[in-house]
Every structure is written in C-alpha cells, then in structure tokens.
Amino acid sequence: MTNAAGATLFTLTTKGSKKVVLELALDAAASNADFAEAFQRELVRMRPKG
C-alpha cells in the first residue's frame, strides 16, 4: 500500500481465510494519518462482504 507520493506504507499478506499479517514500512516518508487512511481503505477492501 502506498501514499499519494508513492511511498510504500505497508504490505499485507493473507494468512488463511480470516487472517492477514501487516508489515509496516517505518522508514516511509509518511504521516500517521497517511498510515491510518491507507489501513482503513485496505480493511474495507479485504473484509468479507455480506
């Protein structure tokens, strides 16, 4: 997942049907808000529908 400037914020790896591992890129030139907004988008995208 990247921010608007293209910096990698984190990667997500699926670990089974209901688990995901989050690896933060702590050296990314990004704010906490950038991380939080990107994480929220990914949660919405990855959560099971229905």
Side-chain angles (χ1 to χ4, degrees):
M1 208 58 227
T2 61
N3 66 4
T8 299
L9 303 175
F10 57 83
T11 57
L12 297 173
T13 305
T14 304
K15 296 288 184 179
S17 64
K18 295 183 180 181
K19 293 184 181 181
V20 173
V21 173
L22 169 71
E23 184 174 328
L24 295 175
L26 297 177
D27 61 343
S31 68
N32 286 350
D34 289 335
F35 280 101
E37 290 170 17
F39 185 56
Q40 180 62 36
R41 283 193 307 271
E42 282 300 293
L43 281 176
V44 169
R45 186 183 71 78
M46 295 185 79
R47 281 193 172 140
K49 308 297 185 252

